[in-house]
Every structure is written in C-alpha cells, then in structure tokens.
C-alpha cells in the first residue's frame, strides 16, 4: 500500500451534484484543511493548523480550498497550496531550484473524481502566473493520478535526482516537474 487513492485512469469522472468553487483559504478553513492533510500523512492536526496559518499569512504562499455548496452550506472538500522555495548556497547541489512549488493537493475521499483536483491546480497556477513565469511540482512516481493530472497542465519532468528541504524523499521514488506559466496563463481570469 502506497498511501495514495486508488487510481483507475479508465474510470469516468462522477458528476458533482453540488456547485464546486475554489477560493483562497481563510483562517476558518485551516482546521478542515489540517484534517485533510493528516488523513493522508498522519501526525497531529494542531501542528498542521499552525503551519497552514503561517502559509496563510505569507505573501509568497497561497492556500486554496475547494468548496461544495455555497453560503452557510459551504463545505471544504479539498486543499492545495503554493510555496516559494529559495535554494540557498548551503543547500546540497541536488536541491530543487528556486521558484514556486505546488504542494499538498488533497481531496476528501467522498469527493474524488469530481474534477476538484483540476480546479485546485488551475487556481494555484493562475495565482502563481501573477508572480512567476514557471511553476514546479514534485510527486511520488507511484501516484499515477497526480502525475496524469499535472501532465494535462503542461508539467514536464526536470529530474528524478533531487532533494527538497524538509521533504522526506526517498531516492528514486519521486520526480520533479516544471510547467511554463506564459501565454494563456497570463490572460486567464482568476
């Protein structure tokens, strides 16, 4: 078991009966986002809330949430983030390059296969396109769903031989991807 959701690229997407929207995260969303994260990674949700709070307050980071329903019935059903990574001189030579990175795309199990991952990725790429000409992402090679998703958005492999500060990457298990954010990304409405 690799910890990733079951993936069947031949299965059709399920229609969502609720309206799905994506917006920037708010302080009130952080506990739900933390629960989504720890449902996959483990660990205390309280620590994740504090990390997410830092992300929310940092202008070089973005917290995006996908919501089902609207108004008082709105329910957070997905989370994804963007961080700005700076490769420092003291980092190992194989450290990922400086730039914006998509991180932590997680959709609640009952809401998968509704296109929510695509909506969250699109929103995060739009946000980043206002700040940079390219974006990075790294993923476990065993996560076929996420690799296919990012390929549809123009991500291409950079390397499989890299490290990222704070990420427990096992050699040979992950891939670093990059996508340009020019042309249509600069013209799309948010």
């Amino acid at each position: 078991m690799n910890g990733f959701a079951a993936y069947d690229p031949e299965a059709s997407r399920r229609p969502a009966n609720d309206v799905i929207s994506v917006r920037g995260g708010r302080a009130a969303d952080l506990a739900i986002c933390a629960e989504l994260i720890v449902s996959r990674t483990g660990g205390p949700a309280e620590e994740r809330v504090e990390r997410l709070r830092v992300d929310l307050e940092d202008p070089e980071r973005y917290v995006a949430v996908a919501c089902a329903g609207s108004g008082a019935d709105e329910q957070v059903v997905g989370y994804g983030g963007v961080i700005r990574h700076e490769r420092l001189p003291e980092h190992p030579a194989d450290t990922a390059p400086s730039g914006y990175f998509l991180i932590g795309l997680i959709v609640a199990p009952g809401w998968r296969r509704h296109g929510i991952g695509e909506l969250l990725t699109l929103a995060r790429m739009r946000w980043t396109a206002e700040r940079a000409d390219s974006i990075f992402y790294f993923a476990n090679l065993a996560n076929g769903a996420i690799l296919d998703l990012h390929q549809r958005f123009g991500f291409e492999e950079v390397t499989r031989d890299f490290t990222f500060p704070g990420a427990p990457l096992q050699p040979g298990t992950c891939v670093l991807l990059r996508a340009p954010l020019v042309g249509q990304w600069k013209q799309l409405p948010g």
Side-chain angles (χ1 to χ4, degrees):
M1 176 70 177
N2 60 23
F4 303 115
Y7 176 56
D8 179 2
E10 301 302 318
S12 61
R13 179 181 296 169
R14 298 182 310 210
N17 294 329
D18 289 299
V19 173
I20 304 294
S21 60
V22 175
R23 60 170 171 75
R26 302 175 187 142
D29 303 323
L30 299 184
I32 297 166
C33 293
E35 289 296 331
L36 286 171
I37 294 168
V38 300
S39 72
R40 184 170 77 190
T41 63
E46 298 79 26
E47 288 179 17
R48 291 295 181 166
V49 168
E50 289 311 310
R51 285 194 224 168
L52 288 166
R53 190 174 319 285
V54 169
D55 291 347
L56 200 61
E57 295 170 357
D58 187 333
E60 293 290 333
R61 295 177 178 219
Y62 179 58
V63 174
V65 295
C67 301
S70 61
D73 294 328
E74 183 180 77
Q75 173 189 5
V76 173
V77 297
Y79 153 81
V82 179
I83 63 169
R84 170 108 176 107
H85 161 69
E86 194 66 38
R87 182 177 173 187
L88 302 174
E90 63 268 19
H91 285 150
D94 67 348
T95 299
S98 295
Y100 286 93
F101 282 74
L102 296 176
I103 60 164
L105 179 63
I106 303 172
V107 176
W111 288 93
R112 293 181 182 144
R113 303 214 48 82
H114 288 93
I116 294 169
E118 290 177 7
L119 292 172
L120 283 164
T121 300
L122 180 62
R124 295 178 298 149
M125 291 178 79
R126 284 179 176 153
W127 181 88
T128 306
E130 295 174 9
R131 293 155 179 81
D133 291 332
S134 66
I135 192 165
F136 293 94
Y137 185 74
F138 57 88
N140 190 299
L141 290 164
N143 192 343
I146 205 75
L147 293 171
D148 283 356
L149 170 72
H150 286 82
Q151 183 180 28
R152 290 193 302 269
F153 282 103
F155 281 84
E156 295 182 356
E157 184 172 332
V158 174
T159 185
R160 295 180 184 199
D161 183 23
F162 71 101
T163 60
F164 194 88
L169 306 176
Q170 299 299 317
T173 64
C174 293
V175 59
L176 177 64
L177 307 162
R178 179 189 169 276
L181 295 173
V182 294
Q184 82 270 14
W185 292 106
K186 300 292 184 184
Q187 300 167 6
L188 288 172

